[in-house]
Amino acid sequence: MSRRDYAMPFRAPAIPEDHVPERALTVRAAPSVASRGSHSRRHRRNRSEYGGTSYQAQNEFPIFSQTGDVEIIISADGRTERYLLHRLYLAQCSGFFECGTSENWSRGQQLSSLSESSGDTAQKGPPVGAPRVGGNKTIWRYELDPGSQENDIPMLVQKDPNASIFGGNNRSSSTRTKPTNPSGGFLRSVVGNFSAMNLSHGTGYDDPAEDILRDYDNMFRIFYNYPPTLDAVNIANAYVQCKSLLTLADMYDALEVVGPRVDHHMLQFQNLLWKQIAKYPPSYLKLGYLARSKVIFSEAIVHVVGQWPAGATHLRTQLPDSVMEIIEDKVEELEEMKTKIEGRLFRITLLTAKGERVSPHNAYVDWLAVSLFREWLADNTTPPPPPTPRESPRTGERRALPPNPPLNTGKIYRLLGRGGSAYLGHDECKRFLKLRPEEYNSHQLKRFERRLDELKAVAKEIARPLMTNCLALDLGRDGGSLGYLTCTRVEERDFPWET
């Protein structure tokens, strides 16, 4: 069965019969049913026949003493967490464990049942949480290896299972082998190495050891369909925790199972999430890609395309080629739409009462209104010329100046979409006509403004397709304070994990 079948909500598979111990615990009936019609005295279940406390091995997450066959030790900064889980669950949720416990790669060993001569441990009984091994059973053991160098990423490696379960020799039987390359190339430190474009305000993310323990615990909890322990109040903390958890899941090829859980958690923030995505679209684009979140990915890519080429250099170093191709295709589509609309705007004109185009000969004031509109449109949609190199006063050499920042015409089209007094208002019209004082009067000004309003109304209808808001964020009637377009549509075929 493919791991793709275990998309959220994930339902853990049943334990095979050969994993059930010989002495399984008996399931008690509900008290209301078991005691119905009975007047017999109740006996305490936790008292043994010999007056001592009976040992009852734990068989639930995170220690499945009776059925677990994969022991995992997570140690960080002197703190240790131990798990005894099932190979079946781990292999179905993680490609790393599927490969590591396979016949070709596995270091698991066939172990015999505990004999009476095993030493003091067998005589005194296992301690609380200690695994019990009955019959012939394959056991795997993993430990978190911090690595030998400072920049090494902590990761799980296989060890000799005899060293932990039977207290035998403690020699390692493995070498540090990195898992397969994660999809998308997001192999980063579990602690997180966030650039300047990521969240810069306080997040409380300052204990690497605690973060490592939390991330592994959350990943294993998700494997067993338990909710992860993530911040549900502070979205900045939740983002950092989810990003760290997804990076860990990417290392162990478990994004298909962990991603939907992260998506579900982040979407609970609703309006606050949309505002955060508008502030940090590149960061949330990576989060949406890792989590396979169609909503977060779509919301972020609309902002990224609208602000393009801002952040392009950073995105190319952080995102896989498949995502960059989608962004560049969307940018090209938006530019093509803007070019068509811009051509129609420049062809706007006015007609006389006889149906002729206005000109300086038949309607001079009307022609001035058309000229002013076209001049304003050309000035605001044409990139400025490159700066002229200046000569150094000392050496006489010409020094090249930095190029002008790229022009984003989204703000101009938003003004065109508003119309009315959003641009070329009363004062601008008055100053323009006063350039020739001999022809200026109040009657000419009113006629000029009326004809300019006719041009604005036509331009508003032409620019309407660019005013479409494809965000979940409510921008208000006039598009809010965003200075770029948000009309990019993301279709089902645009999600890179669907191809």
Side-chain angles (χ1 to χ4, degrees), residues 244-321:
S244 180
L245 175 58
L246 288 170
T247 304
L248 182 68
D250 193 20
M251 288 174 57
Y252 293 101
D253 193 15
L255 286 177
E256 293 185 10
V257 176
V258 175
R261 280 287 191 176
V262 171
D263 182 30
H264 173 74
H265 181 80
M266 293 301 296
L267 290 179
Q268 294 177 356
F269 289 98
Q270 291 295 310
N271 291 333
L272 188 57
L273 175 62
W274 314 142
K275 294 178 181 179
Q276 287 294 104
I277 295 176
K279 291 181 180 179
Y280 312 102
S283 300
Y284 279 91
L285 181 61
K286 293 186 291 185
L287 182 75
Y289 172 76
L290 287 174
R292 269 61 169 171
S293 173
K294 295 182 178 179
V295 177
I296 297 177
F297 185 84
S298 301
E299 189 82 359
I301 206 170
V302 172
H303 289 287
V304 170
V305 172
Q307 297 177 12
W308 192 265
T313 303
H314 171 77
L315 288 170
R316 287 192 175 96
T317 61
Q318 297 295 321
L319 294 173
D321 293 339

Side-chain angles (χ1 to χ4, degrees), residues 6 9 19-20 117 120 147 164-165 192 280 318 345-346 437:
Y6 287 87
H19 283 249
V20 180
S117 60
D120 296 338
S164 170
I165 296 178
Y280 312 102
Q318 297 295 321
L345 290 173
F346 274 107

Side-chain angles (χ1 to χ4, degrees), residues 56 83 100 136-138 143 176 184 195 223 263 265 295 324 348 353 357 363 367 385 398 417 430:
Q56 183 175 356
Y83 300 85
N136 291 331
K137 179 178 178 181
T138 303
E143 290 183 6
R176 179 178 174 86
S195 65
F223 287 177
D263 182 30
H265 181 80
V295 177
M324 292 306 304
I348 294 178
R357 291 184 179 182
W367 175 79
R398 288 181 173 267
K430 190 175 181 179

